[in-house]
């Protein structure tokens, strides 16, 4: 069953998009155009388009404000989304990924330098929005977002290093995935409460929920990167295996001590680009070696832990349910 | 005469370097290593080295604190230097410059992806340091630094666009240079006073001084990029002409309506890499077309304006003299 998009997402998108657009409007025309394309607001020629992401992180920030009994904090929600957009822009360059959300990646269309600058601009705007808001709560969000950005960078650095290394342990791969996905979702879940000056107990429980739900989300994303259809993922089929990415199901398969895992290691060690046939065989070997089942079980386990952390927050029933809906949505297998 | 390095520079370096090192120590090991190399604290193998920049911008922030009658503001000084370091890291990648301060550029040694990530990390750390300091004055510095970063990005985007365009006007070239160099020096000159909560009159006069002195500095840097010796600049001889950079002396020569300017335009329009002989001829044509004399006169003019703006600040004699020393140092022709 395809889960319905929780209404927190479009609602947050409607609130935050004007703030994002106003921020991007402050950039020079060249960089603004790349950023507007990346956000899905413009087509390659700069004409208005109605793309746009699903506003997952802004929605979590808005729920986080609600959790603290406050109005939605738009600078915080926009800042978290800007950092997310920055990381996608730069990651696509580094990973050589030419497709993003069914369209050419910004760097493939406008050039590497232009995409580097646009990413820099979005990262800088995030800090600027929080500095303009200027309350002690926003300084706390800026500190949390800075720490999350360091983890995003650490995760991407590890991800790149893993592609070149022969052996990667499951523990370090889990850490990499937490850094790449858990860190910013954790920050988003706490940011609204932080901006409102909520106490440590609430912000920590929300952050822990986001961290665990984020890892569950990454596990599902890794599964989709191998077995998801391109129409759903917006990426070419088997692209993660083609890039020899050491994703969690792959590393679980490689480190499980099975004959299928050993065959997978041999296949991935072959020099040169892997032909389609080898990629399909590799996907089969990940499954035979237990990597798929492990990732599915681990995603379920992390989601369970996320639920327990959310219960620690002691939220009113309505906002508690909204957080659960978002977690269920991002860890569903078919969106 | 080689001007003596004003003592404000080594003094600021000694104050700020521990703050910078502590910030960089919070990064993951891979990114930390690239950053430490870029700052000159480590050699390519990660062993301690004693390089380091001249700490011009931290020195201006420290003087700016003094101008407001305050103690040196180290988070502000470190944040400005981090943004400067970030911009150098990313600019070298985009410009394809393989040499920086007599050593291989970080991207040439560690790879493009690693240098992109290290630049991202330094930009993010700048915002984090100010958020950790957390006073209203530091929020004001963060807003000013955000605006300066947008201008750095706008300047670099224009610089790249100019390399590919046939005709560039002198006005737009001046704006590009102000964005690339004036913006951050202006921010540095105001940041200490902003952090201390000084009034608008003082911060505006200091910012205007930095803006004009920064443009004078860029004009001198452009002159050195053509006629400076590699031992002094740390870059290969004639590298700006080799990259067909539309620097101010070049654009002044091209737009001056002289026969030499027309010959220069023809030479720079030739396809393929320009051989050494053509580069030397191009340098001669810039001079014959009046580009060198114009840039020298404009640098002097901007420095005069900077002096007048500094006088508007009404500073105590000692700190006034220190600002003048720094401005004289960075606009000297032979360092």
């Amino acid at each position: 069953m395809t889960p319905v998009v929780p209404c927190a997402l479009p609602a947050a998108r409607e609130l935050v998009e004007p703030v994002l657009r106003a921020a991007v409007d402050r950039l020079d025309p060249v960089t603004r155009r790349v950023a507007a394309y990346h956000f899905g607001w413009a087509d390659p020629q700069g004409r208005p388009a109605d793309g746009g992401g699903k506003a997952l992180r802004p929605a979590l920030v808005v729920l986080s404000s609600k959790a603290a009994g406050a109005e939605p904090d738009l600078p915080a929600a926009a800042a978290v989304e800007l950092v997310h957009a920055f990381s996608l822009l730069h990651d696509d360059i580094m990973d050589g990924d030419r497709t993003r959300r069914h369209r050419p990646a910004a760097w493939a269309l406008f050039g590497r330098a232009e995409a580097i600058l646009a990413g820099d601009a979005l990262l800088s705007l995030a800090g600027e929005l929080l500095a303009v808001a200027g309350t002690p709560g926003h300084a706390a969000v800026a500190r949390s977002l800075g720490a999350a950005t360091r983890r995003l960078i650490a995760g991407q650095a590890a991800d790149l290093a893993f592609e070149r290394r022969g052996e990667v342990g499951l523990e370090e791969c889990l850490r990499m995935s937490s850094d790449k996905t858990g860190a910013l979702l954790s920050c988003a879940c706490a940011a609204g409460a932080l901006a409102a000056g909520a106490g440590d107990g609430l912000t920590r429980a929300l952050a822990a929920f986001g961290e665990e739900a984020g890892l569950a989300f990454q596990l599902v994303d890794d599964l989709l990167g191998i077995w998801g259809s391109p129409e759903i993922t917006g990426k070419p089929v088997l692209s993660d295996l083609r890039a020899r990415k050491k994703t969690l199901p792959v590393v679980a398969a490689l480190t499980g001590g099975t004959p299928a895992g050993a065959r997978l290691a041999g296949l991935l060690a072959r020099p040169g680009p892997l032909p389609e046939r080898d990629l399909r065989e590799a996907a089969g070997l990940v499954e035979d070696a237990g990597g798929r089942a492990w990732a599915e079980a681990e995603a379920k386990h992390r989601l369970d832990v996320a639920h327990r952390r959310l219960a620690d927050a002691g939220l009113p029933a309505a906002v508690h349910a909204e957080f659960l809906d978002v977690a269920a949505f991002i860890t569903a297998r078919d969106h």
Side-chain angles (χ1 to χ4, degrees), chain A:
Chain A
M1 189 191 88
T2 303
V4 178
V5 176
C7 57
L9 272 61
R13 188 177 158 183
E14 200 163 312
L15 279 173
V16 171
E17 197 178 293
V19 182
L20 291 171
R21 284 183 183 261
V24 167
D25 275 344
R26 290 146 90 185
L27 302 176
D28 67 274
V30 177
T31 310
R32 187 163 63 222
R33 189 171 159 189
V34 180
Y37 172 81
H38 180 64
F39 272 116
W41 307 330
D43 73 4
Q45 285 73 42
R47 294 173 301 212
D50 190 25
K54 51 188 181 305
L56 165 63
R57 288 157 192 81
L60 290 170
V61 179
V62 169
L63 291 180
S64 176
S65 296
K66 266 199 202 180
E71 289 299 305
D73 195 278
L74 301 188
V80 172
E81 188 69 356
L82 283 163
V83 168
H84 176 57
F86 135 77
S87 76
L88 296 181
L89 259 168
H90 280 191
D91 283 1
D92 282 346
I93 303 170
M94 294 181 245
D95 297 340
D97 284 341
R98 305 187 69 91
T99 305
R100 156 86 45 204
R101 289 182 195 142
H102 310 275
R103 304 188 308 165
W107 72 267
L109 200 59
F110 296 100
R112 279 187 183 80
E114 288 72 10
I116 291 174
L117 285 173
D120 294 344
L122 299 186
L123 177 58
S124 179
L125 282 174
E128 211 182 333
L129 278 186
L130 295 171
V132 168
T135 69
H138 290 103
V141 175
R143 292 192 292 275
S144 166
L145 197 52
T149 305
R150 278 190 276 121
R151 287 184 58 198
L152 282 178
I153 290 165
Q156 173 68 2
D159 200 8
L160 291 168
F162 290 175
E163 284 176 38
R164 277 171 250 148
R165 265 167 54 186
E167 302 212 345
V168 173
L170 195 52
E171 273 307 310
E172 59 183 344
C173 192
L174 278 164
R175 194 178 326 120
M176 180 273 283
S177 296
S178 288
D179 285 345
K180 284 197 77 164
T181 310
L184 194 57
L185 285 176
S186 172
C187 176
C189 289
L194 276 175
D200 271 2
L202 177 60
T203 54
R204 277 193 198 146
L206 292 173
F209 163 76
E211 184 82 39
E212 297 294 334
L215 189 52
F217 174 38
Q218 185 58 54
L219 282 153
V220 171
D221 201 57
D222 285 353
L223 288 162
L224 289 170
I226 301 177
W227 292 283
S229 71
E231 298 81 51
I232 288 166
T233 63
K235 293 179 186 174
V237 73
L238 297 166
S239 60
D240 280 0
L241 285 172
R242 185 173 287 114
R244 292 181 163 77
K245 276 198 188 299
K246 298 285 198 307
T247 62
L248 284 162
V250 171
V251 172
L254 290 171
T255 57
T258 64
R263 292 220 308 281
L264 177 66
L267 201 157
L268 292 177
R270 285 183 201 161
L274 293 171
E276 197 74 15
R277 191 172 39 82
D278 286 1
L279 295 175
R280 300 206 170 276
E281 190 190 339
L285 289 169
V286 175
E287 186 151 10
D288 295 346
R292 184 174 192 167
W294 174 85
E296 287 171 348
E298 185 70 17
K300 189 180 171 309
H301 168 63
R302 295 291 176 166
L303 194 55
D304 289 343
V305 177
H307 286 189
R308 291 204 291 277
R309 294 292 87 80
L310 190 65
D312 296 342
L315 301 181
V319 60
H320 183 97
E322 285 199 274
F323 269 118
L324 289 186
D325 282 351
V326 174
F329 173 69
I330 64 175
T331 54
R333 292 291 311 283
D334 43 4
H335 62 88

